[in-house]
Coordinates of all heavy atoms in Angstrom, one line a residue:
A1 N 0.8 -1.2 0.0 CA 0.0 0.0 0.0 C 0.9 1.3 0.0 O 0.5 2.3 -0.6 CB -0.9 0.0 1.2
R2 N 2.0 1.2 0.7 CA 2.9 2.4 0.7 C 3.3 2.7 -0.7 O 3.3 3.9 -1.2 CB 4.1 2.1 1.6 CG 5.1 3.2 1.5 CD 6.3 3.0 2.5 NE 6.0 3.4 3.8 CZ 5.9 2.6 4.9 NH1 6.2 1.3 4.7 NH2 5.6 3.0 6.1
L3 N 3.8 1.7 -1.5 CA 4.2 1.9 -2.8 C 3.1 2.4 -3.7 O 3.3 3.3 -4.6 CB 4.9 0.6 -3.4 CG 5.4 0.7 -4.8 CD1 6.5 1.8 -5.0 CD2 5.9 -0.7 -5.2
E4 N 1.9 1.8 -3.6 CA 0.8 2.3 -4.4 C 0.5 3.7 -4.1 O 0.1 4.5 -5.1 CB -0.5 1.4 -4.0 CG -0.3 0.0 -4.5 CD -1.5 -0.9 -4.1 OE1 -2.5 -0.3 -3.5 OE2 -1.5 -2.1 -4.3
R5 N 0.6 4.2 -2.9 CA 0.3 5.6 -2.6 C 1.4 6.5 -3.3 O 1.1 7.6 -3.8 CB 0.3 5.8 -1.1 CG -0.1 7.3 -0.8 CD -0.4 7.5 0.7 NE -0.5 8.9 0.9 CZ 0.1 9.6 1.8 NH1 1.0 9.0 2.6 NH2 -0.1 10.9 2.0
M6 N 2.6 6.0 -3.2 CA 3.7 6.8 -3.9 C 3.4 6.9 -5.4 O 3.6 7.9 -6.0 CB 5.0 6.1 -3.6 CG 5.5 6.1 -2.2 SD 6.7 4.9 -1.7 CE 8.0 5.3 -2.9
Q7 N 3.0 5.8 -6.0 CA 2.8 5.8 -7.4 C 1.7 6.6 -7.9 O 1.6 7.0 -9.0 CB 2.6 4.3 -7.9 CG 3.8 3.4 -7.8 CD 3.5 2.0 -8.0 OE1 2.4 1.5 -7.8 NE2 4.6 1.2 -8.4
A8 N 0.8 7.0 -6.9 CA -0.4 7.8 -7.2 C 0.0 9.3 -7.2 O -0.8 10.2 -7.6 CB -1.5 7.5 -6.3
S9 N 1.2 9.6 -6.7 CA 1.6 11.0 -6.6 C 1.8 11.6 -8.0 O 2.4 11.0 -8.8 CB 2.9 11.1 -5.8 OG 3.4 12.4 -5.9
P10 N 1.5 12.9 -8.2 CA 1.8 13.5 -9.5 C 3.3 13.7 -9.7 O 3.7 14.1 -10.8 CB 1.1 14.9 -9.3 CG 0.8 15.1 -7.9 CD 0.7 13.7 -7.3
L11 N 4.1 13.5 -8.6 CA 5.5 13.7 -8.7 C 6.2 12.4 -9.1 O 7.4 12.4 -9.4 CB 6.1 14.1 -7.4 CG 5.5 15.4 -6.8 CD1 6.0 15.6 -5.3 CD2 5.8 16.6 -7.6
W12 N 5.4 11.3 -9.3 CA 6.0 10.0 -9.6 C 5.9 9.8 -11.1 O 4.8 9.9 -11.7 CB 5.2 8.9 -8.8 CG 5.7 7.5 -9.0 CD1 5.4 6.6 -10.0 CD2 6.7 6.8 -8.2 NE1 6.0 5.4 -9.9 CE2 6.8 5.5 -8.8 CE3 7.4 7.1 -7.1 CZ2 7.7 4.5 -8.3 CZ3 8.2 6.2 -6.5 CH2 8.4 4.9 -7.1
A13 N 7.0 9.3 -11.7 CA 7.0 9.0 -13.1 C 8.1 8.1 -13.5 O 9.2 8.3 -12.9 CB 7.0 10.3 -14.0
G14 N 7.9 7.1 -14.3 CA 9.0 6.3 -14.7 C 9.6 5.5 -13.6 O 10.8 5.2 -13.6
G15 N 8.8 5.2 -12.5 CA 9.3 4.3 -11.4 C 10.1 5.1 -10.4 O 10.7 4.5 -9.5
R16 N 10.0 6.4 -10.4 CA 10.7 7.2 -9.3 C 10.1 8.6 -9.2 O 9.3 9.0 -10.1 CB 12.2 7.3 -9.7 CG 12.5 8.0 -11.0 CD 13.9 8.0 -11.3 NE 14.4 6.6 -11.5 CZ 15.6 6.2 -11.6 NH1 16.6 7.1 -11.4 NH2 16.0 5.0 -11.8
F17 N 10.5 9.3 -8.2 CA 10.0 10.7 -8.0 C 10.9 11.6 -8.9 O 12.0 11.2 -9.3 CB 10.1 11.1 -6.5 CG 9.0 10.5 -5.7 CD1 9.3 9.4 -4.8 CD2 7.7 10.9 -5.8 CE1 8.3 8.8 -4.1 CE2 6.7 10.3 -5.0 CZ 7.0 9.3 -4.1
R18 N 10.4 12.8 -9.1 CA 11.2 13.7 -10.0 C 10.9 15.2 -9.5 O 9.9 15.5 -8.9 CB 10.7 13.6 -11.4 CG 9.2 13.9 -11.6 CD 8.6 13.3 -12.8 NE 7.2 13.4 -12.7 CZ 6.4 14.0 -13.6 NH1 6.9 14.6 -14.6 NH2 5.1 14.1 -13.4
N19 N 11.8 16.1 -9.9 CA 11.6 17.5 -9.7 C 10.8 17.9 -10.9 O 11.1 17.7 -12.0 CB 12.9 18.2 -9.7 CG 13.7 18.0 -8.5 OD1 13.3 18.1 -7.4 ND2 15.0 17.6 -8.6
V20 N 9.6 18.6 -10.6 CA 8.7 19.0 -11.7 C 8.9 20.5 -12.1 O 8.4 20.9 -13.1 CB 7.3 18.7 -11.3 CG1 7.0 17.2 -11.1 CG2 6.9 19.5 -10.0
H21 N 9.5 21.3 -11.2 CA 9.7 22.7 -11.5 C 10.9 22.8 -12.4 O 12.0 22.3 -12.2 CB 9.9 23.5 -10.2 CG 9.9 24.9 -10.4 ND1 10.9 25.7 -10.8 CD2 8.8 25.8 -10.3 CE1 10.6 27.0 -10.9 NE2 9.3 27.1 -10.6
P22 N 10.8 23.6 -13.5 CA 11.9 23.8 -14.4 C 13.1 24.4 -13.7 O 12.9 25.3 -12.8 CB 11.4 24.8 -15.5 CG 9.9 24.6 -15.4 CD 9.6 24.3 -14.0
M23 N 14.3 23.9 -14.0 CA 15.5 24.5 -13.3 C 15.7 25.9 -13.8 O 15.7 26.2 -15.0 CB 16.7 23.6 -13.6 CG 18.0 24.0 -12.9 SD 19.4 22.9 -13.2 CE 19.8 23.3 -14.9
L24 N 15.9 26.8 -12.8 CA 16.2 28.2 -13.1 C 17.5 28.4 -13.8 O 18.5 27.7 -13.5 CB 16.1 29.0 -11.9 CG 14.8 29.0 -11.1 CD1 14.9 29.8 -9.8 CD2 13.7 29.5 -12.0
P25 N 17.6 29.2 -14.8 CA 18.9 29.4 -15.5 C 19.9 30.0 -14.6 O 19.7 30.8 -13.7 CB 18.5 30.4 -16.6 CG 17.3 31.1 -16.1 CD 16.5 30.1 -15.3
G26 N 21.2 29.5 -14.8 CA 22.3 30.0 -14.1 C 22.6 29.3 -12.7 O 23.6 29.7 -12.1
L27 N 21.8 28.4 -12.3 CA 22.0 27.7 -11.1 C 23.2 26.8 -11.1 O 23.9 26.6 -10.2 CB 20.7 27.0 -10.6 CG 19.5 27.8 -10.2 CD1 18.4 26.9 -9.7 CD2 19.9 28.8 -9.1
R28 N 23.3 26.1 -12.2 CA 24.4 25.1 -12.4 C 25.4 25.6 -13.5 O 25.0 26.0 -14.5 CB 23.9 23.7 -12.8 CG 24.9 22.7 -13.0 CD 24.4 21.4 -13.6 NE 23.4 20.8 -12.8 CZ 22.7 19.7 -13.2 NH1 22.9 19.2 -14.4 NH2 21.8 19.1 -12.4
D29 N 26.6 25.6 -13.1 CA 27.7 26.1 -14.1 C 28.0 24.9 -15.0 O 28.5 23.9 -14.6 CB 28.9 26.4 -13.3 CG 30.1 26.9 -14.2 OD1 29.9 26.9 -15.4 OD2 31.1 27.4 -13.6
P30 N 27.6 25.1 -16.3 CA 27.9 24.0 -17.3 C 29.3 23.6 -17.5 O 29.7 22.6 -18.0 CB 27.2 24.5 -18.6 CG 27.2 26.0 -18.4 CD 27.1 26.3 -17.0
Q31 N 30.2 24.6 -17.1 CA 31.7 24.3 -17.2 C 32.2 23.6 -16.0 O 33.4 23.1 -16.1 CB 32.4 25.6 -17.4 CG 31.9 26.5 -18.6 CD 31.9 25.8 -19.9 OE1 32.9 25.1 -20.2 NE2 30.8 25.9 -20.7
A32 N 31.5 23.5 -15.0 CA 32.0 22.9 -13.7 C 31.8 21.4 -13.8 O 30.8 20.9 -14.2 CB 31.3 23.4 -12.5
T33 N 32.9 20.6 -13.5 CA 32.8 19.2 -13.5 C 32.5 18.7 -12.0 O 32.9 19.3 -11.1 CB 34.1 18.6 -14.0 OG1 35.2 19.0 -13.2 CG2 34.3 19.0 -15.4
M34 N 31.9 17.5 -12.0 CA 31.7 16.9 -10.7 C 33.0 16.5 -10.0 O 33.9 16.1 -10.7 CB 30.8 15.7 -10.8 CG 29.4 16.0 -11.2 SD 28.5 16.7 -9.8 CE 26.8 16.8 -10.5
P35 N 33.2 16.7 -8.7 CA 34.5 16.3 -8.1 C 34.6 14.8 -8.1 O 33.7 14.1 -8.1 CB 34.3 16.9 -6.7 CG 32.8 17.0 -6.5 CD 32.3 17.3 -7.8
S36 N 35.9 14.4 -8.2 CA 36.2 13.0 -8.2 C 36.2 12.5 -6.7 O 36.2 13.3 -5.8 CB 37.5 12.7 -8.8 OG 38.6 13.3 -8.1
L37 N 36.3 11.2 -6.5 CA 36.5 10.7 -5.2 C 37.7 11.3 -4.5 O 37.7 11.6 -3.3 CB 36.5 9.2 -5.2 CG 36.6 8.5 -3.8 CD1 35.4 8.9 -2.9 CD2 36.6 7.0 -4.0
T38 N 38.8 11.4 -5.3 CA 40.0 12.0 -4.7 C 39.8 13.4 -4.3 O 40.3 13.9 -3.3 CB 41.2 11.9 -5.8 OG1 41.4 10.5 -6.1 CG2 42.5 12.5 -5.2
D39 N 39.1 14.2 -5.2 CA 38.8 15.6 -4.8 C 38.0 15.6 -3.5 O 38.3 16.5 -2.6 CB 38.0 16.2 -5.9 CG 38.7 16.4 -7.2 OD1 40.0 16.5 -7.2 OD2 38.1 16.5 -8.3
F40 N 37.1 14.8 -3.4 CA 36.2 14.8 -2.2 C 37.0 14.4 -1.0 O 36.8 15.0 0.1 CB 35.0 13.8 -2.4 CG 34.0 13.9 -1.2 CD1 33.2 15.0 -1.1 CD2 34.0 12.9 -0.3 CE1 32.3 15.1 -0.1 CE2 33.1 13.0 0.8 CZ 32.2 14.1 0.9

């Protein structure tokens, strides 16, 4: 029943939850790379 309730959410799609609000421009630097494990 817990999973059924989750699947009924408008935020659920493709077997998982998702952010539905469009990402605002400029929040993520397209030139920045994710840190490596060594960096972290």
Side-chain angles (χ1 to χ4, degrees):
R2 174 178 280 118
L3 180 58
E4 291 178 6
R5 184 168 174 234
M6 294 161 56
Q7 293 170 335
S9 169
L11 305 172
W12 182 273
R16 63 186 62 195
F17 288 105
R18 62 203 166 120
N19 291 308
V20 295
H21 191 275
M23 185 175 71
L24 298 177
L27 291 184
R28 182 191 295 175
D29 182 352
Q31 305 302 318
T33 58
M34 289 289 184
S36 66
L37 182 57
T38 300
D39 292 334
F40 185 74

